[in-house]
Every structure is written in structure tokens, then in C-alpha cells.
Amino acid sequence: RKVKVFDIRPLDYCNANIEFVQADMMVELPSEFHSCCDSLSSLHAVEHFGLGRYGDPVCWDGHVRGLANLDRLLRVGGKLYFSVPIGPQRVEFNAHRVFSIKWLLDYFAYNYKVDQFSYIDQGVLYPDVVLDEKGICTNFGCKYGCGIFELTKKRN
């Protein structure tokens, strides 16, 4: 299967099945990329958007702009595989953001169905976790864990 890779940094790697697109995910992508994917992975990327660490411009809402671009890339019915640090919501200087599970679920609620949620905390994987009120409010006890979401896009 041919794959598109979007990154703000240049990529010197060449492969016949990989199309590299150098793009700032905080700037709306050209319409030719809207709804171009039926499967999209964003694994430990969004938490860095807008913090300037990887050559991107400093932008206080870079993560929100990046999430909007992910939404533009994915067609209705498509799968989004998404992971970010989870715990009490904060920014760790210019390294990364940590997201509360509630903030993420609120963000995804309108356009996405959560098919599966898992997380890693202190090196232990907790697969296919039920998203109950107590767990959501406490980030399942994570101070700095890894939230792993499988989502299906419901609407544009």
C-alpha cells in the first residue's frame, strides 16, 4: 500500500511506496489533501506542535491547529490511530504537551467514535480500557502516561 508521510522536517529517505509531503501541520493543508486518507496515524506528534522544538513556529494553539489538519486529512469512516502523553494537562517547557483524557475526549466527541482506548503507565500496558467517569477524571492515575486511541471519523 502506498503511504503518505507528512512532516515539517525534510526527509531524505526514498521508497517507491512512500510519498513524503513536507508540511507545517499548523497551517491548513491544500485542498488536494482534504479527505485523502482512509487510515491515519499520529503517534506522539501533536504534543510537539507549536512549541518550536522541531523547527516549527511557536504557536500557543499549535496542537489544536494540528488536530484540525488531521481531521481534514481523514475521510468519513476512516480510522485515526492517535497517541499522546496523558496526565494532568500541561506543557513541559518546549518539549511537549501532556493532555488530560477528558480534554481529548471532549475534543474528539463530535467528529469521532472511540473504538478503543488503551494506555501505558510506568511501563505497564492497560489494553482496551473502559472509559468510565472516574478513570477519565483521574486520567486513570497517570501523571505522565501514554494514551492510545483508535477512533473512527463520523462526520466532517
Side-chain angles (χ1 to χ4, degrees):
R1 176 174 186 163
K2 293 199 180 259
V3 175
K4 282 186 176 71
V5 174
F6 294 82
D7 200 309
I8 195 164
R9 300 166 294 184
L11 181 68
D12 294 331
Y13 180 76
C14 184
N15 182 295
N17 288 323
I18 298 175
E19 176 188 345
F20 174 70
V21 179
Q22 188 171 4
D24 180 347
M25 293 297 287
M26 294 183 299
V27 177
E28 186 171 346
L29 297 172
S31 61
E32 67 195 68
F33 294 115
H34 292 201
S35 298
C36 72
C37 301
D38 62 355
S39 178
L40 181 61
S41 300
S42 177
L43 306 174
H44 283 285
V46 169
E47 67 265 26
H48 302 290
F49 291 1
L51 299 180
R53 186 172 186 172
Y54 293 100
D56 54 320
V58 174
C59 179
W60 71 273
D61 67 345
H63 59 299
V64 175
R65 293 176 186 205
L67 285 165
N69 267 326
L70 293 179
D71 192 51
R72 288 182 189 99
L73 288 167
L74 191 62
R75 64 180 60 129
V76 173
K79 291 285 191 177
L80 174 59
Y81 301 94
F82 182 78
S83 67
V84 289
I86 57 168
Q89 188 119 347
R90 64 192 185 273
V91 174
E92 302 259 336
F93 184 52
N94 73 339
H96 55 265
R97 292 177 176 82
V98 177
F99 295 91
S100 74
I101 295 170
K102 181 172 179 2
W103 188 92
L104 291 165
L105 292 174
D106 287 349
Y107 183 86
F108 287 125
Y110 183 74
N111 284 349
Y112 292 87
K113 174 185 169 285
V114 177
D115 299 318
Q116 188 173 49
F117 171 73
S118 301
Y119 70 95
I120 300 169
D121 189 32
Q122 297 183 6
V124 178
L125 171 64
Y126 298 87
D128 200 13
V129 175
V130 175
L131 288 163
D132 62 13
E133 185 77 24
K134 181 181 178 201
I136 293 167
C137 290
T138 63
N139 297 299
F140 292 95
C142 294
K143 300 292 183 233
Y144 183 72
C146 172
I148 307 162
F149 295 82
E150 179 185 328
L151 305 133
T152 300
K153 187 172 179 180
K154 300 186 297 189
R155 61 180 60 92
N156 279 326

